[in-house]
């Protein structure tokens, strides 16, 4: 997938793989019993409806010439009963297969979403979120018709085709062979068209993905767009992407629609020849056994013969379309989960709080290391502040401690335990993390604070909010803790969002607390009040604080200055000032005068 670009098509280097359909069959397998029952109903209905043209032939060749009204009435009653049975079978098929199709789609989407929950940060760092979203929603939805109707209809119509051919050969082998002459032409046409169809649907899915990615990006950045008056430029970009999608969609549909007219054309030509031969036989005295009734019955069978072929051709189109989406869906499901439990992973014991980085090297991209052979030791209960210029690797250190990424080399240990050897759940449930992005979910403020600890009581939520000095502003809102907030917390100030995220992190009562720019958007007065609550909270708890505002970390047990992937200096606030090194320069740049 293209790296963070809405204007670059995704590429799939693999050729058509029948295993994609086999994997889809794995989702279909649990429903085979229900599908078999519906298929039996549809086949019995189809077999019975094959008798209706025979009834017409009997009426025309026997009952009407003999003026046998009782025979005609019987056939009418039989026809009515057959049609009624067919209607009931069709209703059951639509009802049950719609449910089956949606159940399968739900399972595919559930597997896809569950896998996305496990993929590492690196996966989302490299991909436009809109291109991920389109796979979960649009691509899976596009399989609906194939799963709800396509598979069963095709199997049923294949069986119907056999029934029809049996009736046709029993009626007139000569006319049947004339009808079958068009099939080789259709098969050649399908083979030639297949490659163009698949390529066109892949292109269409690319353009749809690009458009969705840009829409998602534009919505997330709407405030910046309006602030810089970029509306017209964005509309131009959107129109360009939308027109590309429109052009690709029309081309794909064009190739799809080329199938049905060809079937109709071959049907009309073969039917015309059947009429010519049939009428010639009738005019010749009927020595071949072709009567007016037989010809009428046979032409009825011809229309039924090409109808399932048309359905099968439509199914073929649906399969080619679905393949372009299945490739994208299974590509995502097959994306390796780089950060996962080792086969022999054990539960992390209750964390006391000692931390060791042992010659850790890490890079987001091959050949561009962010951390280079970093080593340090932290005792239980210490507060460690990490400072340094932007991009120096500060956030990377705490991300490795939470094991959001795996190290390239070296080892991270907590209480002497290599964290790559323990389960992620047992590790992260004992850590509290507040990141730079104070993400707020749609729901109440109470729900947002309780997000990481669903068993917490209201009293515990309120206590955490009071600790971080969020309680007062929450109570000033119209419904207090039950106030509804929008996705990303658009009703809240940046500082309020950070305080709620802070309370969320603290509610877990973590053994190790990580604060990544936790107070960057809090005013000075709130920061002073917050610091008083944190001083009590941090006692006996190992903490890592990343901060640009040095006023928040002067009381830390140790301050590490990180730059160029290494720890350049480490010591207390007073020790580092006395050295008059990098930390001293940073401090003086903030407090000069």
């Amino acid at each position: 997938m293209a790296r963070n670009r809405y204007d670059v098509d995704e590429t799939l280097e693999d050729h058509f793989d029948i295993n994609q359909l086999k994997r889809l069959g794995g989702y279909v397998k649990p429903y085979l019993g229900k599908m078999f029952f519906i298929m039996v109903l549809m086949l019995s209905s189809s077999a019975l409806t094959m008798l209706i043209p025979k009834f017409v032939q009997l009426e025309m060749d026997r009952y009407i010439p003999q003026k046998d009204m009782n025979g005609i009435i019987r056939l009418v009653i039989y026809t009515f009963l057959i049609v009624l049975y067919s209607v009931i079978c069709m209703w059951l098929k639509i009802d049950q297969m719609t449910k089956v199709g949606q159940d399968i789609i739900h399972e595919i989407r559930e597997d896809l979403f569950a896998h996305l929950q496990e993929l590492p940060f690196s996966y989302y760092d490299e991909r436009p979120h809109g291109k991920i979203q389109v796979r979960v929603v649009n691509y899976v939805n596009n399989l609906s018709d194939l799963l709800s109707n396509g598979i069963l209809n095709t199997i049923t119509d294949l069986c119907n085709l056999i029934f029809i051919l049996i009736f046709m050969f029993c009626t007139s082998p000569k006319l049947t062979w004339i009808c079958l002459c068009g099939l080789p032409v259709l098969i050649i046409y399908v083979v030639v068209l297949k490659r163009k169809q698949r390529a066109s649907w892949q292109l269409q899915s690319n353009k749809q993905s690009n458009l969705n990615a840009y829409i998602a990006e534009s919505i997330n950045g709407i405030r910046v767009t309006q602030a810089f008056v970029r509306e017209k430029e964005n509309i131009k970009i959107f129109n360009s992407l939308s027109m590309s999608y429109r052009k690709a969609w029309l081309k794909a549909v064009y190739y799809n629609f080329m199938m049905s007219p060809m079937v109709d054309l071959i049907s009309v030509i073969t039917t015309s020849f059947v009429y010519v031969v049939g009428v010639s036989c009738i005019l010749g005295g009927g020595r071949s056994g072709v009567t007016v009734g037989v010809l009428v019955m046979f032409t009825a069978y011809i229309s039924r013969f090409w109808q399932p072929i048309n359905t099968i051709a439509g199914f073929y189109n649906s399969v080619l379309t679905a393949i372009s989406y299945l490739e994208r869906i299974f590509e995502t499901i097959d994306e390796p989960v780089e950060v996962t439990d080792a086969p022999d992973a054990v539960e992390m014991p209750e964390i006391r709080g000692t931390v060791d980085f042992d010659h850790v090297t890490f890079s987001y991209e091959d050949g561009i290391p962010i951390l280079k052979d970093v080593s340090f030791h932290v005792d239980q209960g210490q507060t460690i502040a990490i400072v340094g210029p932007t991009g120096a690797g500060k956030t990377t250190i705490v991300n490795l401690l939470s094991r959001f990424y795996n190290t390239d080399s070296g080892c991270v240990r907590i209480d002497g335990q290599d964290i790559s050897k323990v389960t992620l759940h047992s590790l992260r449930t004992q850590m509290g993390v507040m990141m730079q992005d104070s993400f707020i979910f749609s729901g109440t403020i109470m729900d947002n604070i309780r997000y990481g600890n669903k068993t917490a009581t209201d009293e515990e939520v309120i206590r955490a909010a009071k600790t971080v000095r969020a309680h007062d502003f929450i109570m000033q809102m119209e419904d207090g803790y039950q106030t509804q907030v929008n996705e990303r917390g658009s009703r809240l100030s940046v500082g309020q969002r950070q305080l709620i995220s802070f309370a969320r992190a603290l509610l877990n009562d973590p053994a190790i607390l990580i604060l990544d720019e936790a107070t960057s958007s809090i005013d000075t007065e709130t920061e002073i009040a917050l610091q008083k609550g944190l001083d009590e909270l941090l006692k006996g708890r190992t903490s890592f604080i990343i901060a640009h505002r040095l006023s928040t970390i002067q009381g830390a047990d140790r301050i590490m200055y990180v730059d160029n992937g290494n720890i350049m200096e480490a010591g207390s606030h007073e020790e580092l000032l006395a050295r008059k090194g990098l930390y001293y320069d940073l401090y003086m740049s903030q407090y000069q005068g």
Side-chain angles (χ1 to χ4, degrees), residues 557-574:
D557 296 305
R558 193 191 326 164
I559 299 172
M560 298 191 304
Y561 188 98
V562 179
D563 195 11
N564 294 321
N566 288 288
I567 299 174
M568 311 300 292
E569 293 180 347
S572 67
H573 173 69
E574 292 76 13

Short mmCIF file of all heavy atoms in Angstrom, two decimals, residues 557-574:
data_model
loop_
_atom_site.label_atom_id
_atom_site.label_comp_id
_atom_site.label_asym_id
_atom_site.label_seq_id
_atom_site.Cartn_x
_atom_site.Cartn_y
_atom_site.Cartn_z
N ASP A 557 13.83 12.58 39.44
CA ASP A 557 15.03 11.97 40.01
C ASP A 557 16.21 12.01 39.03
O ASP A 557 17.36 12.16 39.44
CB ASP A 557 14.75 10.51 40.39
CG ASP A 557 13.70 10.41 41.49
OD1 ASP A 557 13.88 11.04 42.54
OD2 ASP A 557 12.69 9.71 41.27
N ARG A 558 15.89 11.85 37.76
CA ARG A 558 16.94 11.90 36.75
C ARG A 558 16.37 12.47 35.47
O ARG A 558 15.23 12.17 35.08
CB ARG A 558 17.52 10.51 36.48
CG ARG A 558 18.82 10.56 35.68
CD ARG A 558 19.28 9.21 35.16
NE ARG A 558 18.95 8.12 36.05
CZ ARG A 558 18.97 6.84 35.65
NH1 ARG A 558 19.28 6.53 34.40
NH2 ARG A 558 18.67 5.88 36.50
N ILE A 559 17.16 13.28 34.80
CA ILE A 559 16.78 13.86 33.51
C ILE A 559 17.76 13.33 32.47
O ILE A 559 18.98 13.40 32.65
CB ILE A 559 16.81 15.40 33.55
CG1 ILE A 559 15.83 15.93 34.60
CG2 ILE A 559 16.49 15.98 32.18
CD1 ILE A 559 15.94 17.42 34.85
N MET A 560 17.21 12.79 31.39
CA MET A 560 18.05 12.28 30.30
C MET A 560 17.86 13.17 29.07
O MET A 560 16.73 13.36 28.60
CB MET A 560 17.68 10.82 29.96
CG MET A 560 17.90 9.86 31.11
SD MET A 560 17.79 8.10 30.67
CE MET A 560 16.15 8.01 29.94
N TYR A 561 18.97 13.71 28.58
CA TYR A 561 18.93 14.54 27.37
C TYR A 561 19.25 13.62 26.18
O TYR A 561 20.34 13.05 26.09
CB TYR A 561 19.95 15.67 27.45
CG TYR A 561 19.83 16.67 26.32
CD1 TYR A 561 19.15 17.87 26.50
CD2 TYR A 561 20.38 16.41 25.06
CE1 TYR A 561 19.03 18.80 25.47
CE2 TYR A 561 20.26 17.32 24.03
CZ TYR A 561 19.58 18.50 24.24
OH TYR A 561 19.45 19.41 23.21
N VAL A 562 18.27 13.48 25.28
CA VAL A 562 18.39 12.56 24.14
C VAL A 562 18.57 13.36 22.86
O VAL A 562 17.83 14.32 22.60
CB VAL A 562 17.14 11.65 24.03
CG1 VAL A 562 17.26 10.72 22.83
CG2 VAL A 562 16.96 10.84 25.31
N ASP A 563 19.55 12.95 22.05
CA ASP A 563 19.76 13.58 20.75
C ASP A 563 20.57 12.64 19.88
O ASP A 563 21.39 11.86 20.38
CB ASP A 563 20.50 14.92 20.91
CG ASP A 563 20.42 15.77 19.64
OD1 ASP A 563 19.62 15.41 18.75
OD2 ASP A 563 21.13 16.78 19.55
N ASN A 564 20.30 12.67 18.58
CA ASN A 564 21.01 11.82 17.62
C ASN A 564 20.97 10.34 17.99
O ASN A 564 21.93 9.59 17.76
CB ASN A 564 22.46 12.28 17.48
CG ASN A 564 22.58 13.65 16.86
OD1 ASN A 564 21.83 13.98 15.93
ND2 ASN A 564 23.49 14.46 17.38
N GLY A 565 19.85 9.91 18.61
CA GLY A 565 19.68 8.51 18.91
C GLY A 565 20.44 8.02 20.11
O GLY A 565 20.54 6.80 20.33
N ASN A 566 21.00 8.93 20.91
CA ASN A 566 21.78 8.53 22.09
C ASN A 566 21.41 9.40 23.28
O ASN A 566 20.85 10.50 23.13
CB ASN A 566 23.28 8.68 21.81
CG ASN A 566 23.79 7.62 20.87
OD1 ASN A 566 23.90 6.45 21.23
ND2 ASN A 566 24.12 8.03 19.64
N ILE A 567 21.72 8.91 24.47
CA ILE A 567 21.56 9.70 25.69
C ILE A 567 22.84 10.51 25.87
O ILE A 567 23.89 9.97 26.22
CB ILE A 567 21.30 8.79 26.91
CG1 ILE A 567 20.01 7.99 26.69
CG2 ILE A 567 21.21 9.63 28.18
CD1 ILE A 567 19.75 6.96 27.77
N MET A 568 22.74 11.80 25.59
CA MET A 568 23.92 12.65 25.61
C MET A 568 24.32 13.06 27.02
O MET A 568 25.51 13.20 27.32
CB MET A 568 23.67 13.91 24.76
CG MET A 568 23.09 13.61 23.37
SD MET A 568 24.16 12.56 22.36
CE MET A 568 25.53 13.66 22.07
N GLU A 569 23.32 13.27 27.88
CA GLU A 569 23.57 13.65 29.27
C GLU A 569 22.51 13.02 30.15
O GLU A 569 21.38 12.78 29.72
CB GLU A 569 23.50 15.18 29.45
CG GLU A 569 24.59 15.96 28.76
CD GLU A 569 24.45 17.46 29.00
OE1 GLU A 569 23.38 17.90 29.49
OE2 GLU A 569 25.40 18.19 28.71
N ALA A 570 22.83 12.77 31.41
CA ALA A 570 21.86 12.25 32.38
C ALA A 570 22.27 12.69 33.77
O ALA A 570 23.46 12.69 34.13
CB ALA A 570 21.79 10.73 32.30
N GLY A 571 21.29 13.08 34.57
CA GLY A 571 21.54 13.51 35.93
C GLY A 571 20.36 14.28 36.46
O GLY A 571 19.34 14.45 35.77
N SER A 572 20.47 14.79 37.68
CA SER A 572 19.38 15.60 38.24
C SER A 572 19.40 16.98 37.60
O SER A 572 20.36 17.36 36.90
CB SER A 572 19.55 15.71 39.75
OG SER A 572 20.72 16.48 40.06
N HIS A 573 18.38 17.75 37.87
CA HIS A 573 18.28 19.10 37.32
C HIS A 573 19.50 19.93 37.73
O HIS A 573 20.13 20.60 36.89
CB HIS A 573 16.98 19.74 37.82
CG HIS A 573 16.82 21.18 37.47
ND1 HIS A 573 16.61 21.62 36.18
CD2 HIS A 573 16.86 22.30 38.25
CE1 HIS A 573 16.50 22.94 36.16
NE2 HIS A 573 16.65 23.39 37.42
N GLU A 574 19.84 19.88 39.00
CA GLU A 574 20.96 20.67 39.49
C GLU A 574 22.29 20.20 38.90
O GLU A 574 23.16 21.02 38.53
CB GLU A 574 21.02 20.60 41.02
CG GLU A 574 19.88 21.30 41.74
CD GLU A 574 18.58 20.49 41.71
OE1 GLU A 574 18.64 19.29 41.35
OE2 GLU A 574 17.51 21.05 42.03
#
